Every structure is written in C-alpha cells, then in structure tokens.
Amino acid sequence: MPDVPLPPKRMPAWHGGRPRKTWRWVGVFSPALVLVAGRVEVAGLPQRFWGAWEPGRAVRGRTVQRPGGTVVRLDDDRVRVRGDGVEADLRLEAAGAPVAVRSSHGASAIWTRKRPVRVVGTVHLDGRAVPVDAPGLVDDSAGYHARHTAWRWAAGAGTDERGRAVTWNLVDGVHDAPTGSERRVWLDGVPREVGPVTFAPGLTGVTFAEGGGLTFRAGGVRERHERLLGGLLQSDYSQPFGTVAGELP
C-alpha cells in the first residue's frame, strides 16, 4: 500500500498531486425522523450541510459553503444544527465497536472509520419539537482520492425480528475489497464484515454475496450538483431518505 499520511497522522493539504479530502457525516435513524449532518473539506474549501426527512413530509435541508445564518457543528460526542427553521442539539453515545479501514486508491490511499452511536436529544422543526432517542452512525473519512471518484453507499439502523439492534454500512466503489473492506453489519454493537454487495438501479435495494438483500422505499431525496473554481472541482451527490426491509447475511 502506498506510504501516505492518513489519520491519526497529520495530513498535508496536498500529497502526490492530490488534494486532501476529509469529511464527517452523522446519520440519525428514528422512525419519526431521519436526520443527517456533515462537514466536508476538499482542497481547503469547507462545506457544511444538513438534511431531515419525516415520513409523509418532504425532505428539507441546507448546504453552506461560508459562515452565515446556518450553523452545523459536529463534535465527537455532539451534533448541533441551527438555522433555516431547524434547531438540533443531540448527544452521541457509543453503541458499538468502531471499524477503521485503510485502502489503496490508485497511486494513493484513503481512510475511513465507521462508528455506531446512540443519539439522544431534541430536534425543533419550524417550532415543532421532535424527541430523539435513536440509533445512528458516524462516518469519518479522509484521504487523497482519485480525481474521478464515485461510490454507492447504504447506511441505516433498526431491529431484527428478535428485537436485536442492527446497524449496517454497505458500499461499492471505495473501501470495497473482497476482504478488509468497510462493509459491516453490527448486531447488538458487534461488527461483522459481509461480502461484496450489488446495488439495484436507482438505489432501490442491495443484495449480498452470501444471499439475501434489502429493499429500499424512498420517501424523498437530497441532491446537490456543484461546479466550483471554473469547473475544476465538480460534485454530483444524491442521497435518498426512506425505509428499509429485508434480510441481512
């Protein structure tokens, strides 16, 4: 694997002609509310975003590229969002063993750590208080990704037929080697790697090499299409929110 400075080492802004990319994403998976918040930095350009979906309502959210009226703050144990009709102050508690993976990416390397959490607090949407005591997932990622990078990813949480807590993190495109991947299913907080997965067109489901699969019913989508620095940096991002059912390996 290439000798590339990755967490916990200090990462220079550029390495091997590639800019440093870092992000933290937090997902909260409650039957009453799915909330995501994130911070991203590519080539020194910062971005913050949040998105929320309540069943039966439209997805709402905001992306901010400079300081302003909307605040998104993500600490190791806390998530705070304020502005645009939303105010959230949520506490993150450990709910499973974290999993960290380092992978080659062309001539360079990338890193990620996935961490199941319990999310507790309150989200206010246009003055309506939505109590939250739900499972969640924290995605910390960094590296010197190839200029053209594309991946499909599914993350969520719930319970199985026996009432056990289940969290999943499934991916195709990054950290997706047959073994030593970031693909994990946590059962009552204990992670297990699963084999390669296949995503259905339109992200309507995912099947497993071991058999079984998940079906996804979208309730809405958060999309973002950006062209920055005269097109030097381009990003196309689509994140559907919804409900999942099926059989895990």
Side-chain angles (χ1 to χ4, degrees), residues 11-193:
M11 296 176 61
W14 292 81
H15 187 275
R18 296 184 181 184
R20 177 184 61 211
K21 300 178 183 178
T22 64
W23 66 85
R24 169 169 287 179
W25 178 97
V26 179
V28 183
F29 311 114
S30 163
L33 172 70
V34 178
L35 175 74
V36 302
R39 68 168 184 252
V40 182
E41 183 181 298
V42 179
L45 299 177
Q47 184 182 97
R48 302 287 189 273
F49 66 84
W50 67 272
W53 173 68
E54 298 173 275
R57 296 176 181 265
V59 172
R60 55 188 299 172
R62 178 74 184 275
T63 298
V64 182
Q65 292 176 314
R66 59 183 59 87
T70 298
V71 176
V72 178
R73 181 168 178 177
L74 307 177
D75 299 318
D76 287 341
D77 60 355
R78 195 174 179 187
V79 173
R80 282 169 282 186
V81 181
R82 187 178 71 249
D84 300 293
V86 64
E87 185 171 349
D89 192 346
L90 303 170
R91 186 174 71 253
L92 307 181
E93 303 171 352
V99 173
V101 175
R102 174 181 171 137
S103 303
S104 296
H105 206 246
S108 194
I110 56 178
W111 171 91
T112 191
R113 181 183 63 198
K114 303 300 194 289
R115 178 165 56 102
V117 293
R118 191 75 188 177
V119 186
V120 180
T122 303
V123 177
H124 292 87
L125 293 168
D126 297 327
R128 293 182 295 108
V130 181
V132 174
D133 185 354
L137 185 72
V138 179
D139 168 14
D140 286 305
S141 294
Y144 301 95
H145 301 68
R147 173 169 170 77
H148 298 286
T149 300
W151 73 94
R152 290 173 291 186
W153 179 48
T159 56
D160 69 4
E161 291 180 337
R162 294 168 57 183
R164 296 176 296 182
V166 179
T167 303
W168 61 88
N169 177 83
L170 310 170
V171 72
D172 173 28
V174 294
H175 301 295
D176 62 353
T179 60
S181 73
E182 69 167 77
R183 296 183 305 271
R184 289 296 189 280
V185 172
W186 286 263
L187 184 61
D188 281 340
V190 179
R192 171 193 169 190
E193 184 178 16

Side-chain angles (χ1 to χ4, degrees), residues 5 28 38 65 83 97 135 149 197 199 221 237:
V28 183
Q65 292 176 314
T149 300
V197 296
F199 285 83
V221 63
Y237 179 85

